[in-house]
Amino acid sequence: MITLDVALGDRSYPIYIGRSLLGKAALIHNYLSGKEVLVVSNTTVAPLYLDKLMASLEGYRAESVILPDGEKYKTLEYLNDIFTALLEKRMSRQTSIIALGGGVVGDMAGFAAACYQRGIPFIQVPTTLLAQVDSSVGGKTAVNHPAGKNMIGAFYQPKCVIADTDVLSTLDDRQLSAGIAEVIKYGLIRDECFLLWLEENMEALLGRDAAALVYAIERSCMNKADVVAADEHECGQRALLNLGHTFGHAIETAMGYGEWLHGEAVAVGMYMAADLSARLGWLETTDVTRVARLLERANLPVKGPRISIEKMKDLMAVDKKVLDGQIRLVLLKAIGDAVVTDEFDAELLDQTLQQCQV
Ligand code: NAD
Ligand code: GLY
């Protein structure tokens, strides 16, 4: 088992990565404060892994709430199902919430934990690659609004993250690739050595080679933990983790949540960011080709769906990086060196949006 630390002073917490961690009672018990637990999962993950998790909670009053599966249910309405379960089951302030699922369950369970009785402890047990490399770490919790993705939420850190790599065996190939998009992101924004490793090991990752998966999760979490420790509330460098997201969130919102997977939309967004960076003279065209090649090898799209430029820009203006009404984008000064900037020519942005559609 690998253990990493998210260094946030008295709110620091470990990330455990390894095989067969789900049934390890001793691991999870260390992070439960009271004797009551509410496991939040969904209709796909619960039949696969809930019993195993529940078995490790013997001796606790462990209850569960099962949400419908899908990005389209990541709403205030379904968030309320978690509060209803907590109240109907008379769960106290000492209750711990355990999020068992992908990024949707993790973001919703974390937000519920941040709000219930003004905050109760929670643990992340991420079950998708995307959640293991990104969403379970760093304390961003949220639900979507029809007008904007992840717009209602809170920063609220978990007590620990338990990433059992065995659960990835039941994940379908499309979801695996969506997770790889966020893995590639770390290479592009701050870790070119990791990008080189990904270029050499993409087939092993897609083939679910156990060692390759563990390494990719570990290296991704190291990068994320570093950035979060330096800038928990995204006053500065944490925004770099949003490479491709302003474009990607606009695609997700325009298409209807769930039509495009988050990782797929981010893949297109990262390609758009590379394309615009080249138009600004920061990247070579060979760099843009390099980005496209790696994304395509991961079975990810680089061209977005047909959405009018005006609509894209409208949706991109609903973004948490907007400052004084100005869209700010994460762009690449070089491969492995990202910046947040509002200094781009509007005409060049239009060209990128035009060029990067199917
Ligand atoms: P998801 O949670 O929808 O999971 C993808 C699919 O895989 C779902 O159908 C799910 O039921 C299924 N699944 C989960 N684990 C499985 C398993 N082990 N075996 C079989 N099927 C399994 O999507 P995701 O890609 O995990 O997360 C995307 C969400 O995460 C988005 O809402 C995005 O906004 C959010 N996100 C948050 C952060 C953050 O920092 N909080 C970062 C990145 C993404
Ligand atoms: N996924 C972006 C962040 O955690 O900041």
Side-chain angles (χ1 to χ4, degrees):
M1 182 174 75
I2 289 159
T3 308
L4 302 173
D5 184 45
V6 184
L8 289 169
D10 59 4
R11 287 172 300 106
S12 296
Y13 56 93
I15 306 168
Y16 297 111
I17 303 162
R19 304 196 60 180
S20 307
L21 302 187
L22 203 55
K24 279 212 167 69
L27 194 61
I28 216 155
H29 291 186
N30 285 336
Y31 299 95
L32 299 172
S33 19
K35 279 282 163 201
E36 294 170 343
V37 181
L38 182 76
V39 179
V40 180
S41 192
N42 75 17
T43 48
T44 302
V45 179
L48 294 168
Y49 302 113
L50 183 62
D51 284 352
K52 198 162 188 186
L53 180 61
M54 284 298 198
S56 71
L57 296 172
E58 219 184 284
Y60 289 81
R61 180 162 85 88
E63 304 274 0
S64 61
V65 56
I66 309 303
L67 304 173
D69 181 7
E71 185 76 38
K72 64 173 183 284
Y73 301 109
K74 190 179 162 182
T75 61
L76 278 174
E77 186 190 344
Y78 286 92
L79 180 74
N80 206 39
D81 285 1
I82 306 178
F83 298 131
T84 303
L86 285 160
L87 288 164
E88 285 183 354
K89 293 171 196 301
R90 299 278 185 271
M91 291 296 200
S92 72
R93 212 177 207 176
Q94 280 67 48
T95 304
S96 297
I97 286 186
I98 301 180
L100 174 71
V104 169
V105 164
D107 281 12
M108 292 178 77
F111 191 26
C115 300
Y116 186 65
Q117 299 199 19
R118 303 198 179 91
I120 58 174
F122 91 110
I123 291 175
Q124 288 273 17
V125 182
T127 62
T128 60
L129 180 63
L130 186 140
Q132 295 190 350
V133 299
D134 193 350
S135 63
S136 65
V137 176
K140 277 190 180 175
T141 72
V143 293
N144 300 326
H145 186 281
K149 174 108 173 103
N150 289 338
M151 276 292 155
I152 321 292
F155 285 101
Y156 195 66
Q157 301 294 341
K159 295 291 173 201
C160 76
V161 178
I162 300 175
D164 181 343
T165 54
D166 284 349
V167 304
L168 300 179
S169 63
T170 51
L171 200 62
D172 70 37
D173 288 344
R174 186 177 170 202
Q175 296 290 351
L176 186 79
S177 288
I180 294 175
E182 300 278 17
V183 174
I184 292 172
K185 174 186 78 180
Y186 296 111
L188 291 175
I189 60 173
R190 71 194 302 272
D191 191 352
E192 196 185 0
C193 287
F194 185 33
L195 198 77
L196 286 164
W197 182 89
L198 287 168
E199 287 171 330
E200 278 166 22
N201 291 278
M202 186 52 71
E203 277 63 44
L205 265 187
L206 291 169
R208 298 169 200 243
D209 174 86
L213 278 174
V214 167
Y215 181 73
I217 296 164
E218 178 188 9
R219 185 91 175 214
S220 298
C221 287
M222 281 167 66
N223 273 296
K224 180 135 191 194
D226 266 7
V227 173
V228 169
D231 180 22
E232 180 183 6
H233 295 118
E234 200 167 305
C235 304
Q237 65 162 287
R238 184 164 182 172
L240 302 180
L241 295 173
N242 264 297
L243 176 69
H245 284 57
T246 306
F247 298 105
H249 284 168
I251 292 171
E252 287 183 83
T253 308
M255 298 307 287
Y257 298 123
E259 193 58 39
W260 274 61
L261 299 183
H262 176 71
E264 293 169 343
V266 165
V268 171
M270 292 194 294
Y271 179 71
M272 288 178 168
D275 180 274
L276 181 53
S277 303
R279 287 176 200 277
L280 287 163
W282 297 348
L283 289 190
E284 303 292 337
T285 48
T286 49
D287 294 323
V288 183
T289 310
R290 183 180 174 196
V291 173
R293 176 86 191 100
L294 187 59
L295 293 169
E296 284 170 345
R297 281 178 62 208
N299 300 320
L300 287 161
V302 295
K303 296 275 170 128
R306 288 227 156 265
I307 302 168
S308 75
I309 293 179
E310 282 323 306
K311 182 160 186 192
M312 271 300 280
K313 287 199 292 194
D314 242 29
L315 290 170
M316 286 169 66
V318 186
D319 185 86
K320 293 183 280 317
K321 289 184 296 305
V322 167
L323 190 65
D324 297 333
Q326 211 33 49
I327 295 181
R328 296 186 307 145
L329 292 172
V330 183
L331 298 176
L332 295 169
K333 283 278 179 190
I335 298 290
D337 182 12
V339 289
V340 184
T341 182
D342 62 2
E343 285 171 21
F344 49 84
D345 191 308
E347 178 61 30
L348 295 181
L349 174 60
D350 288 1
Q351 288 174 18
T352 289
L353 293 173
Q354 186 73 52
Q355 283 294 309
C356 301
Q357 299 199 347
V358 284

mmCIF file of all heavy atoms in Angstrom, residues 77-93:
data_model
loop_
_atom_site.group_PDB
_atom_site.id
_atom_site.type_symbol
_atom_site.label_atom_id
_atom_site.label_comp_id
_atom_site.label_asym_id
_atom_site.label_seq_id
_atom_site.Cartn_x
_atom_site.Cartn_y
_atom_site.Cartn_z
ATOM 1 N N GLU A 77 -31.594 18.779 -5.894
ATOM 2 C CA GLU A 77 -32.739 17.906 -5.601
ATOM 3 C C GLU A 77 -32.270 16.549 -5.057
ATOM 4 O O GLU A 77 -32.762 16.065 -4.032
ATOM 5 C CB GLU A 77 -33.551 17.711 -6.885
ATOM 6 C CG GLU A 77 -34.829 16.942 -6.677
ATOM 7 C CD GLU A 77 -35.481 16.559 -8.007
ATOM 8 O OE1 GLU A 77 -35.127 17.121 -9.063
ATOM 9 O OE2 GLU A 77 -36.356 15.669 -7.966
ATOM 10 N N TYR A 78 -31.299 15.951 -5.719
ATOM 11 C CA TYR A 78 -30.834 14.627 -5.266
ATOM 12 C C TYR A 78 -29.880 14.736 -4.081
ATOM 13 O O TYR A 78 -29.756 13.799 -3.287
ATOM 14 C CB TYR A 78 -30.248 13.834 -6.448
ATOM 15 C CG TYR A 78 -31.360 13.357 -7.346
ATOM 16 C CD1 TYR A 78 -31.781 14.118 -8.441
ATOM 17 C CD2 TYR A 78 -32.062 12.198 -7.055
ATOM 18 C CE1 TYR A 78 -32.862 13.717 -9.221
ATOM 19 C CE2 TYR A 78 -33.132 11.781 -7.830
ATOM 20 C CZ TYR A 78 -33.521 12.541 -8.917
ATOM 21 O OH TYR A 78 -34.599 12.134 -9.683
ATOM 22 N N LEU A 79 -29.222 15.875 -3.939
ATOM 23 C CA LEU A 79 -28.419 16.109 -2.727
ATOM 24 C C LEU A 79 -29.325 16.004 -1.505
ATOM 25 O O LEU A 79 -28.963 15.453 -0.463
ATOM 26 C CB LEU A 79 -27.780 17.505 -2.795
ATOM 27 C CG LEU A 79 -26.907 17.889 -1.609
ATOM 28 C CD1 LEU A 79 -25.578 17.142 -1.677
ATOM 29 C CD2 LEU A 79 -26.653 19.393 -1.574
ATOM 30 N N ASN A 80 -30.550 16.502 -1.674
ATOM 31 C CA ASN A 80 -31.510 16.486 -0.573
ATOM 32 C C ASN A 80 -31.828 15.064 -0.114
ATOM 33 O O ASN A 80 -32.177 14.849 1.046
ATOM 34 C CB ASN A 80 -32.777 17.235 -0.996
ATOM 35 C CG ASN A 80 -33.506 17.796 0.201
ATOM 36 O OD1 ASN A 80 -32.873 18.277 1.137
ATOM 37 N ND2 ASN A 80 -34.815 17.682 0.204
ATOM 38 N N ASP A 81 -31.718 14.079 -1.020
ATOM 39 C CA ASP A 81 -31.948 12.678 -0.620
ATOM 40 C C ASP A 81 -30.963 12.266 0.482
ATOM 41 O O ASP A 81 -31.289 11.455 1.346
ATOM 42 C CB ASP A 81 -31.746 11.724 -1.809
ATOM 43 C CG ASP A 81 -32.910 11.787 -2.788
ATOM 44 O OD1 ASP A 81 -33.851 12.572 -2.548
ATOM 45 O OD2 ASP A 81 -32.857 11.063 -3.795
ATOM 46 N N ILE A 82 -29.752 12.815 0.409
ATOM 47 C CA ILE A 82 -28.748 12.463 1.440
ATOM 48 C C ILE A 82 -29.177 13.080 2.778
ATOM 49 O O ILE A 82 -29.139 12.421 3.819
ATOM 50 C CB ILE A 82 -27.333 12.936 1.040
ATOM 51 C CG1 ILE A 82 -26.965 12.403 -0.354
ATOM 52 C CG2 ILE A 82 -26.314 12.486 2.088
ATOM 53 C CD1 ILE A 82 -25.599 12.850 -0.859
ATOM 54 N N PHE A 83 -29.619 14.351 2.738
ATOM 55 C CA PHE A 83 -30.059 14.992 3.988
ATOM 56 C C PHE A 83 -31.281 14.266 4.560
ATOM 57 O O PHE A 83 -31.388 14.064 5.769
ATOM 58 C CB PHE A 83 -30.402 16.468 3.748
ATOM 59 C CG PHE A 83 -29.220 17.281 3.273
ATOM 60 C CD1 PHE A 83 -29.319 18.115 2.178
ATOM 61 C CD2 PHE A 83 -27.999 17.195 3.928
ATOM 62 C CE1 PHE A 83 -28.229 18.852 1.734
ATOM 63 C CE2 PHE A 83 -26.902 17.934 3.504
ATOM 64 C CZ PHE A 83 -27.022 18.760 2.400
ATOM 65 N N THR A 84 -32.194 13.861 3.659
ATOM 66 C CA THR A 84 -33.394 13.148 4.128
ATOM 67 C C THR A 84 -32.985 11.854 4.823
ATOM 68 O O THR A 84 -33.490 11.528 5.909
ATOM 69 C CB THR A 84 -34.334 12.852 2.927
ATOM 70 O OG1 THR A 84 -34.639 14.096 2.299
ATOM 71 C CG2 THR A 84 -35.614 12.164 3.365
ATOM 72 N N ALA A 85 -32.051 11.125 4.220
ATOM 73 C CA ALA A 85 -31.600 9.864 4.839
ATOM 74 C C ALA A 85 -30.963 10.146 6.196
ATOM 75 O O ALA A 85 -31.253 9.454 7.185
ATOM 76 C CB ALA A 85 -30.602 9.161 3.916
ATOM 77 N N LEU A 86 -30.127 11.165 6.270
ATOM 78 C CA LEU A 86 -29.466 11.488 7.548
ATOM 79 C C LEU A 86 -30.506 11.816 8.624
ATOM 80 O O LEU A 86 -30.405 11.364 9.775
ATOM 81 C CB LEU A 86 -28.520 12.683 7.358
ATOM 82 C CG LEU A 86 -27.203 12.388 6.637
ATOM 83 C CD1 LEU A 86 -26.587 13.668 6.067
ATOM 84 C CD2 LEU A 86 -26.205 11.701 7.562
ATOM 85 N N LEU A 87 -31.532 12.569 8.232
ATOM 86 C CA LEU A 87 -32.547 12.986 9.210
ATOM 87 C C LEU A 87 -33.470 11.828 9.584
ATOM 88 O O LEU A 87 -33.733 11.593 10.768
ATOM 89 C CB LEU A 87 -33.344 14.169 8.650
ATOM 90 C CG LEU A 87 -32.544 15.480 8.602
ATOM 91 C CD1 LEU A 87 -33.216 16.487 7.701
ATOM 92 C CD2 LEU A 87 -32.384 16.053 10.014
ATOM 93 N N GLU A 88 -33.940 11.100 8.564
ATOM 94 C CA GLU A 88 -34.866 9.992 8.857
ATOM 95 C C GLU A 88 -34.201 8.911 9.695
ATOM 96 O O GLU A 88 -34.835 8.253 10.508
ATOM 97 C CB GLU A 88 -35.399 9.402 7.542
ATOM 98 C CG GLU A 88 -36.435 10.314 6.927
ATOM 99 C CD GLU A 88 -37.064 9.764 5.647
ATOM 100 O OE1 GLU A 88 -36.617 8.707 5.139
ATOM 101 O OE2 GLU A 88 -37.983 10.412 5.146
ATOM 102 N N LYS A 89 -32.901 8.736 9.476
ATOM 103 C CA LYS A 89 -32.178 7.703 10.243
ATOM 104 C C LYS A 89 -31.639 8.272 11.553
ATOM 105 O O LYS A 89 -30.850 7.631 12.239
ATOM 106 C CB LYS A 89 -31.049 7.119 9.384
ATOM 107 C CG LYS A 89 -31.565 6.320 8.190
ATOM 108 C CD LYS A 89 -30.454 5.942 7.229
ATOM 109 C CE LYS A 89 -30.954 5.487 5.866
ATOM 110 N NZ LYS A 89 -31.840 4.329 5.854
ATOM 111 N N ARG A 90 -32.054 9.521 11.846
ATOM 112 C CA ARG A 90 -31.662 10.178 13.104
ATOM 113 C C ARG A 90 -30.150 10.165 13.298
ATOM 114 O O ARG A 90 -29.632 9.828 14.364
ATOM 115 C CB ARG A 90 -32.323 9.472 14.316
ATOM 116 C CG ARG A 90 -33.836 9.494 14.300
ATOM 117 C CD ARG A 90 -34.361 10.833 14.845
ATOM 118 N NE ARG A 90 -35.816 10.852 14.946
ATOM 119 C CZ ARG A 90 -36.641 11.234 13.964
ATOM 120 N NH1 ARG A 90 -36.167 11.619 12.791
ATOM 121 N NH2 ARG A 90 -37.951 11.241 14.151
ATOM 122 N N MET A 91 -29.442 10.510 12.247
ATOM 123 C CA MET A 91 -27.980 10.527 12.319
ATOM 124 C C MET A 91 -27.517 11.802 13.022
ATOM 125 O O MET A 91 -27.965 12.906 12.676
ATOM 126 C CB MET A 91 -27.381 10.449 10.916
ATOM 127 C CG MET A 91 -27.598 9.105 10.234
ATOM 128 S SD MET A 91 -26.765 7.809 11.130
ATOM 129 C CE MET A 91 -26.609 6.501 9.974
ATOM 130 N N SER A 92 -26.612 11.657 13.968
ATOM 131 C CA SER A 92 -26.176 12.791 14.787
ATOM 132 C C SER A 92 -24.981 13.496 14.142
ATOM 133 O O SER A 92 -24.502 13.102 13.076
ATOM 134 C CB SER A 92 -25.763 12.290 16.169
ATOM 135 O OG SER A 92 -24.539 11.588 16.037
ATOM 136 N N ARG A 93 -24.515 14.506 14.851
ATOM 137 C CA ARG A 93 -23.372 15.280 14.379
ATOM 138 C C ARG A 93 -22.057 14.486 14.397
ATOM 139 O O ARG A 93 -21.070 14.888 13.794
ATOM 140 C CB ARG A 93 -23.231 16.489 15.297
ATOM 141 C CG ARG A 93 -22.697 17.685 14.598
ATOM 142 C CD ARG A 93 -22.653 18.845 15.547
ATOM 143 N NE ARG A 93 -22.766 20.075 14.808
ATOM 144 C CZ ARG A 93 -22.833 21.259 15.374
ATOM 145 N NH1 ARG A 93 -22.834 21.374 16.682
ATOM 146 N NH2 ARG A 93 -22.894 22.340 14.631
#
